[in-house]
Each structure stands twice: as structure tokens, then as C-alpha cells.
Amino acid sequence: MLNLERLRTLDALARHGSVSGAADGLHVTTSAVSQQLAKLEREVGQQLVAKNGRGVRLTDAGLLLADHAARILSQVELAQADIEAQRGQVVGEVRLAGFPTAARGLFPAAISALRRDHPDLVVRTSELEPEHGIRHVMRGDMDLAVVLDWSNKRLPVPAGLARAQLLDDAADVALPAGHPLAGRAELDLEELADEDWVSWPEGEFCYEWLMFTLRAKGVEPRIAHLAGEHHTQLALIQAGLGVCVTPRLGRGSVPEGVVLVPVRHRMLRHIYAVWRSDADRRPSIRAAVEALREVGRAVSSGN
């Protein structure tokens, strides 16, 4: 009889690609992962893992069993979801990830509502950029992720994930108060062709969106500063060091000396929750999604 926890360890190794990655994903030590794999090899009577330089790789037998393990674990999750659904109680633990402005603008109110309405549910949260959030949900490291895309650049959502729209979040341009366009009711991005830009870090989805959007307007962006946090970006604008796009969700107070001007053709972020389809019937997932939707509706009405 194959041991389920050892199959889970093999599946984690296949998904993460290394013993250390599997250990991080399972929240155990690397030696515990190695021990479980060794026991699994003895159970099946075949070598599942082989050395590969300084790391390891799955053998043909390991790949075959890992494929079965993924399907078995998916069926186990479906069974757990069905049991939870039959019981109808929102209990246990739900692991929630979100990009920073969602974590700031949505999570506090949503988690407070869940604690009030479902005191037996434990909610754990992490900040993750959208692509990482989706990856963690696909791997089973997170139950639910709040992610985003833009109206003119969509984020691919892999098969096997369910999704729910939470809100549309408009973005404005932040300018120094002394900027010639600071008094305008609205502006076009083309009018900022000669400006220095403050942007999200390279490689992030929003950085790629900014490059794509400005170039589509015929503007070759001159990126002067990179900052992951919007408050840092606004501090750079306050110092007169450039302009930036700043979404409204989780923005908070705007520093003195910074002016926000809407864009004539609205820039919208679509914010939604994603989770594994095989966990769709879990009451805890449904409760978390509904709490996020309620907060999203409140934020939308406030904007």
C-alpha cells in the first residue's frame, strides 16, 4: 500500500524541482524530504530519484509515479471538499495570497468578516505577485490567490483554476504639484512622452504592462526609478523625480506635493480570486471568496 504522505513528498519534488523547494513547500526539513523519498523507493522497489549535478532529478519510474501521485492527491482534495460540503461548516484553514495593494486594500476587512462570521476558520495570508500567487495555488501551497490583470493586457490563468471577479480598480497618473499638467481635469498618456517614469520592478506583471501601454501610445518610456511599493513611488514623485501610474485600491493618503490626474481613456485593473477547481465545493473557499467580493463591492462603491 502506497503511503499518501510519501506520495505528497514525491509530488512536491516534481512540482518544485528540488529537495529544498519541496521542503519549503511542505514546511519540513530537507532531511525529512530525503527520508520520505527513500522510504517510498523501498515501498515500490525502484529508484525514483537520481543525482543530477548538485541537485536531483526524477528517474523514469519517479516521473511515472509522480504523475499518478498528482492525480491521487487531486482525488483526495476532491474527497475532502465533498466531505466539507456535506458537513456544510466553514472550518479548518484557508491559505490566502495576494499582491501588495490587495493585501492592504482587501484583506483586513475580508479577514475580519471571516473571523466574525466563521470563528472556527483559520485564515493565513501571504503577499505574492500575481504570477507567483497563481503558481502557488496550482502547486497546492495556497488555497486562494487574489490576482490582477489590466484591461489591455490579460494575465493567463491555467486550466484547472476557477476564478471570481472582485472589482475593477481604476488608476491615475501621479505628478509633482508644480508639474504643468497638475491642474488638468484629465490627460492623455501621450502628453507624458518626455517625462521620467517611476515604475514597478522589472519582471513584474505591472512593469510589463506599463512598457506595453506606453509603447502602444507611441511613447518610449524613460524609466528613471524602480520601486515595488506605491508609497515609495509617490515619495519619489513628491521629490519631483518623475511621474507614475498609481492604482486607487489600497492607496491611502497622498503625500503633500503630489497631484493625481485621471487618464482620459481609463486604465483599469481587473482584480479577481483564483483557486483550484477541485476545491470548488469547500465551504471555506466559498466563504473566503464571498468575503472578498463583499469588500470589493464596498471599495467599488467608494470609488
Side-chain angles (χ1 to χ4, degrees), residues 60-129:
D60 289 345
L63 290 169
L64 178 64
L65 187 56
D67 185 54
H68 283 291
R71 292 199 296 271
I72 290 167
L73 293 170
S74 178
Q75 285 299 119
V76 169
E77 187 161 353
L78 278 171
Q80 291 172 332
D82 283 343
I83 290 296
E84 281 190 35
Q86 187 179 55
R87 185 169 52 188
Q89 296 177 333
V90 181
V91 297
E93 178 181 284
V94 63
R95 299 161 297 172
L96 179 60
F99 58 95
T101 50
R104 184 166 60 246
L106 297 177
F107 284 9
I111 295 168
S112 294
L114 286 168
R115 290 183 66 179
R116 181 194 65 228
D117 298 337
H118 308 289
D120 294 325
L121 178 67
V122 176
V123 182
R124 304 195 186 281
T125 65
S126 299
E127 280 192 5
L128 291 173
E129 290 299 323

Side-chain angles (χ1 to χ4, degrees), residues 12-13 16-26 30 139 141:
L13 179 64
H16 292 276
S18 69
V19 171
S20 60
D24 288 341
L26 295 170
T30 54
R139 293 193 314 218
D141 300 332

Side-chain angles (χ1 to χ4, degrees), residues 21-39:
D24 288 341
L26 295 170
H27 307 291
V28 298
T29 64
T30 54
S31 62
V33 169
S34 298
Q35 290 169 16
Q36 289 284 63
L37 291 172
K39 290 177 181 177

Side-chain angles (χ1 to χ4, degrees), residues 1-4 6 43:
M1 181 70 69
L2 293 172
N3 180 281
L4 188 62
R6 289 166 198 156
E43 283 181 349

